[in-house]
Structures are given as structure tokens and as C-alpha cells.
Amino acid sequence: MLTRIKYGILSLLLSFLFVSCGMEDYLYLYPVPAGNINKTLNTMATFNLPNIDLDAYYYFTRFTIYYRIYISDIAESAAIAIGNLGTINSALASDYSALEPYTNSDTTISTSLSTIFKNRNYYALNVFDAELDNVLSKSMLNIDGNNWLMDNSVTIDFSPAPGALPVIIVNETSYPLYRSNGDGAFEPAPQERYFRNTAELNRDENINTKINADVVNKTGISGPRYAYVSMYIVVTGTDPNYTAIYSQPTHISFFRLPE
């Protein structure tokens, strides 16, 4: 009897040590491969979402896209080179540099990733008359575990045509992109929150924490004001404790907002 008690105590101690040493289940989410993303100038990006095994990665829930808008005095129609980010807007160069180490991480990012984006004033992208979390959720993309409902291809289109609305195309359905309001923390202008470079969006007095908190200004502009957006995609999940977990982010592209 004494031997059994000693054995039980030893088993409990070993279990405690295994958990304390981090030997519990390690939840990993593979990112969207950067090599999957095909960019066209600063107007379009097409990429394939990874076909996730829902039996193995049961904690996967959706794909999330984060964005921030940058005002500039530069009218760039070509693809934007990393070395030219500071010319577009110094905050764009600073944000990209700060976030770049996370895109090169080889492990699942901790639960602080959403805070990391929030601290850089990046917000979760949405779509008009729907929720992007639902459009890119596992329930929309998958059925019966691994039988995908779509061809995995996603296109983000910032057509420069006058009056065009930037869209995301998922499973052949087009959704107009819609700016965040920070869950009610600010009131974007214009009230129609499409991704277009309007006077209300780029006006100095509207770029603050109460109105256009998702926009960063550029000082010293005396002429035309242009707008660009930087976007990242993240594979998102929920652990057994209902805590969000994330893959490393993947930078999608820099897009110019149509006029």
C-alpha cells in the first residue's frame, strides 16, 4: 500500500514537471507562405490560402487581415519597393521595420500579436455588409474536415479605375473592403468606410484617435494628398482555454487607394 502511495506521488510530481517545463501540447499554426502571394504593381495581390487539416489543427478558426492607411504626397503607380517606404511616409517605413521580425519568426506568435498590431495602430480589415472573420472562417472555407469548399485562391483588388471600390474576392464572390471603427472606439470619415482616397479620409483635422485612427498623416504636404495601405494576413486559432493564438503574420502588399 505504501509503495502504491509513493508511486502515485511520484507520478503527480513527474506530471507537474512535464507541464512546468513546457512539455504540454504545443499548438502551432503555419502561416500563409509569402511565396504564395503574387503582386501586380500596387493594385492587386492574389494568393492561395493553406489547406489546413482540421483534424490535426482543430484549434484553427479563421484568417485575419490587419491594415493601416498612410497619407503621402507621392503619386506612385508602380510596385512599392521596401527601400522607398520612407519616401512614401516615414511611419510606413517605421511600422514595416518594427513588424518585419515577426514575419520571419519560425514559431507560432504568442497571444500578444493582436496587441502588437494594435500598438502600431493596425486594425482588423472588414468587408461591407458582412464579417471578414466569417468570410475567411473555417466554417465557410471547409466542410467535413479537409474537403475544401473553395479553390483556396483569394484576390485583393485595388483597381485604379475612377470610382472603383477595392474588393476582396473569395470563392468567386466579391466583397467591398470596409475600414474598421475599432469596435466603436472611433468614427471613421467618410461615413461610408470604403478604401478610397477621399478628402474626408486624408484631411489633416480628421486624422486623430476619434475620427480616422486607422490613418497616419504626413507633415509638410502642400499639394495633392495620396493614400496607401499596408496589409498583413494571419492564421488565427483558439486554444482549449479560449485564448486566441496566431501564426506569424505574412505581409500581403502595399496598395494605393483609388481616388
Side-chain angles (χ1 to χ4, degrees), residues 239-251:
D239 71 13
N241 296 318
Y242 302 101
T243 301
I245 57 173
Y246 307 90
S247 72
Q248 69 188 59
T250 303
H251 189 251

Side-chain angles (χ1 to χ4, degrees), residues 204-230:
D204 278 327
E205 53 267 34
N206 285 348
I207 302 175
N208 55 59
T209 57
K210 294 183 178 180
I211 304 178
N212 289 338
D214 57 342
V215 181
V216 58
N217 206 357
K218 181 178 183 179
T219 59
I221 299 178
S222 58
R225 298 169 66 84
Y226 306 98
Y228 299 84
V229 62
S230 179

Side-chain angles (χ1 to χ4, degrees), residues 85-96:
L85 297 183
T87 303
I88 299 291
N89 187 306
S90 60
L92 175 57
S94 177
D95 286 341
Y96 184 84

Side-chain angles (χ1 to χ4, degrees), residues 144-157:
D144 296 331
N146 301 315
N147 182 19
W148 280 62
L149 292 172
M150 58 176 289
D151 63 3
N152 291 25
S153 179
V154 173
T155 296
I156 296 177
D157 186 0

Side-chain angles (χ1 to χ4, degrees), residues 17-253:
L17 287 172
F18 287 153
V19 173
S20 300
C21 293
M23 297 182 70
E24 68 273 17
D25 288 341
Y26 180 69
L27 304 183
Y28 183 85
L29 288 170
Y30 286 94
V32 174
N36 281 12
I37 300 174
N38 296 310
K39 305 174 186 180
T40 303
L41 304 177
N42 56 27
T43 59
M44 184 181 294
T46 300
F47 52 92
N48 292 327
L49 298 174
N51 195 338
I52 297 173
D53 182 343
L54 295 183
D55 293 327
Y57 300 95
Y58 60 90
Y59 41 88
F60 161 70
T61 57
R62 64 190 183 279
F63 297 90
T64 306
I65 296 176
Y66 292 94
Y67 78 92
R68 192 181 190 194
I69 296 171
Y70 301 83
I71 304 304
S72 181
D73 53 348
I74 304 297
E76 180 60 76
S77 58
I80 298 173
I82 303 303
N84 292 335
L85 297 183
T87 303
I88 299 291
N89 187 306
S90 60
L92 175 57
S94 177
D95 286 341
Y96 184 84
S97 178
L99 294 169
E100 195 268 342
Y102 298 102
T103 67
N104 291 328
S105 172
D106 59 359
T107 61
T108 293
I109 305 299
S110 73
T111 55
S112 64
L113 182 64
S114 61
T115 302
I116 290 168
F117 274 114
K118 185 176 181 179
N119 288 344
R120 307 299 306 189
N121 293 312
Y122 271 73
Y123 292 88
L125 180 68
N126 218 326
V127 291
F128 178 72
D129 210 24
E131 294 289 335
L132 190 59
D133 279 355
N134 293 333
V135 173
L136 295 179
S137 70
K138 71 176 181 181
S139 61
M140 288 291 290
L141 301 177
N142 302 270
I143 188 171
D144 296 331
N146 301 315
N147 182 19
W148 280 62
L149 292 172
M150 58 176 289
D151 63 3
N152 291 25
S153 179
V154 173
T155 296
I156 296 177
D157 186 0
F158 275 74
S159 170
L165 293 179
V167 298
I168 184 169
I169 303 169
V170 182
N171 203 21
E172 299 182 351
T173 299
S174 179
Y175 303 87
L177 300 182
Y178 213 54
R179 294 165 55 204
S180 172
N181 67 354
D183 293 325
F186 57 96
E187 298 182 3
Q191 204 167 28
E192 296 174 343
R193 289 154 37 194
Y194 300 120
F195 280 74
R196 295 181 59 206
N197 181 32
T198 65
E200 287 181 275
L201 180 142
N202 68 44
R203 187 176 294 140
D204 278 327
E205 53 267 34
N206 285 348
I207 302 175
N208 55 59
T209 57
K210 294 183 178 180
I211 304 178
N212 289 338
D214 57 342
V215 181
V216 58
N217 206 357
K218 181 178 183 179
T219 59
I221 299 178
S222 58
R225 298 169 66 84
Y226 306 98
Y228 299 84
V229 62
S230 179
M231 291 186 179
Y232 294 82
I233 187 167
V234 178
V235 185
T236 306
T238 306
D239 71 13
N241 296 318
Y242 302 101
T243 301
I245 57 173
Y246 307 90
S247 72
Q248 69 188 59
T250 303
H251 189 251
I252 298 174
S253 192

